[in-house]
Amino acid sequence: QNVFNMVVEVPRWTNAKMEIATKDPLNPIKQDVKKGKLRYVANVFPHKGYIWNYGAIPQTWEDPGHKDENTGCCGDNDPIDVCEIGSKVCSRGEVIKVKVLGTLALIDEGETDWKIIAINVEDPEADNYNGINDVRRMKPGYLEATVDWFRRYKVPDGKPENQFAFNGEFKDKDFAVNVIKSTHEHWKALMAKKTDGGEISCTNLTVSDSPFCCSQECAKATVDAAPPCKAANPIPPE
């Protein structure tokens, strides 16, 4: 069906760089921290925060020890990223079903970082989207804005513009699904301890044949031991 689950990390139009914390037990969603400061994505004109619902496909892993045959670069050690282009602004932590439409190959500081373009299957327009060319037809300028966003989003932090494989061209749905399937195989090897994931916490409740599988009680104890959420810090004016 080319339909996959997506975990929403960043709702559209927001700026906080939230992501699945792969090194923490049970992989909660947390705000990224660099040099002791919470990370935000700047508003790079004309964009406001993230311009899609942004998240990840669970049970995928871009293996940093595997050189991608298409890009010539190794993986970025994270689940595969998704840009969901539907009309609804999703909630952080929401799990939605998305239809895959295509993919963009970002080269982020020398690492392969696939960006899957997808649409929520419950979007009222979802039936009209079956491939990357439908995005061009139905949402003119959105794909170009996506390339522009990924090229420039780190520039306000003093970093150079990002590069892309394939000259920044989008690959089609079949290509994207093959990328997801290969990263799923890397994830399976990680969960079976056939690949060394380094600091990644593979503790889980559902992969019964994984050496990292734990009980519901163990998982509950992990969650209960986490510090309670406090009031959010104010967003920095810059």
Side-chain angles (χ1 to χ4, degrees):
Q1 303 286 318
N2 298 332
V3 170
F4 296 86
N5 287 315
M6 168 187 175
V7 178
V8 178
E9 297 166 310
V10 186
R12 186 192 287 118
W13 313 137
T14 63
N15 299 73
K17 192 165 179 16
M18 309 295 294
E19 51 189 33
I20 294 169
T22 55
K23 295 172 184 173
D24 290 19
L26 303 181
N27 311 138
I29 296 174
K30 292 170 67 173
Q31 190 166 358
D32 200 18
V33 175
K34 258 219 171 119
K35 295 179 181 169
K37 286 188 172 181
L38 292 170
R39 283 186 72 191
Y40 294 88
V41 161
N43 297 320
V44 179
F45 185 82
H47 311 302
K48 166 70 179 84
Y50 286 72
I51 60 173
W52 346 255
N53 294 301
Y54 189 70
I57 297 179
Q59 301 194 354
T60 61
W61 180 48
E62 296 195 59
D63 182 354
H66 171 78
K67 184 177 277 194
D68 189 282
E69 60 191 20
N70 296 294
T71 65
C73 296
C74 293
D76 73 345
N77 206 27
D78 278 328
I80 204 162
D81 296 319
V82 189
C83 303
E84 191 280 316
I85 65 167
S87 54
K88 177 190 170 192
V89 176
C90 294
S91 304
R92 182 172 301 126
E94 200 175 340
V95 180
I96 60 173
K97 286 186 164 52
V98 296
K99 189 197 297 193
V100 168
L101 305 173
T103 187
L104 178 68
L106 177 67
I107 306 300
D108 189 353
E109 297 180 30
E111 297 174 331
T112 302
D113 192 2
W114 293 102
K115 307 296 179 186
I116 301 292
I117 307 299
I119 190 164
N120 191 337
V121 296
E122 294 183 2
D123 191 273
E125 299 281 331
D127 289 347
N128 296 325
Y129 289 87
N130 296 295
I132 201 72
N133 287 329
D134 294 328
V135 184
R136 283 199 180 88
R137 184 171 53 83
M138 303 281 292
K139 293 181 184 281
Y142 205 176
L143 294 180
E144 291 80 359
T146 295
V147 172
D148 182 62
W149 195 97
F150 280 118
R151 178 177 282 124
R152 298 195 293 139
Y153 83 104
K154 289 189 174 180
V155 172
D157 298 333
K159 293 190 173 172
E161 290 187 351
N162 276 324
Q163 305 299 310
F164 302 90
F166 318 116
N167 294 322
E169 290 173 16
F170 287 82
K171 292 294 186 179
D172 64 15
K173 171 181 66 183
D174 293 341
F175 189 103
V177 170
N178 283 333
V179 168
I180 294 168
K181 286 179 175 172
S182 74
T183 57
H184 177 59
E185 291 303 316
H186 293 151
W187 172 84
K188 285 203 288 196
L190 176 69
M191 300 309 283
K193 221 173 180 176
K194 290 176 182 167
T195 308
D196 180 12
E199 295 180 5
I200 291 179
S201 172
C202 299
T203 305
N204 69 88
L205 285 87
T206 53
V207 190
S208 54
D209 56 352
S210 165
F212 304 104
C213 195
C214 75
S215 66
Q216 191 76 43
E217 292 73 29
C218 154
K220 185 177 184 306
T222 300
V223 173
D224 290 345
C229 276
K230 298 178 182 173
N233 284 1
I235 294 176
E238 68 272 17

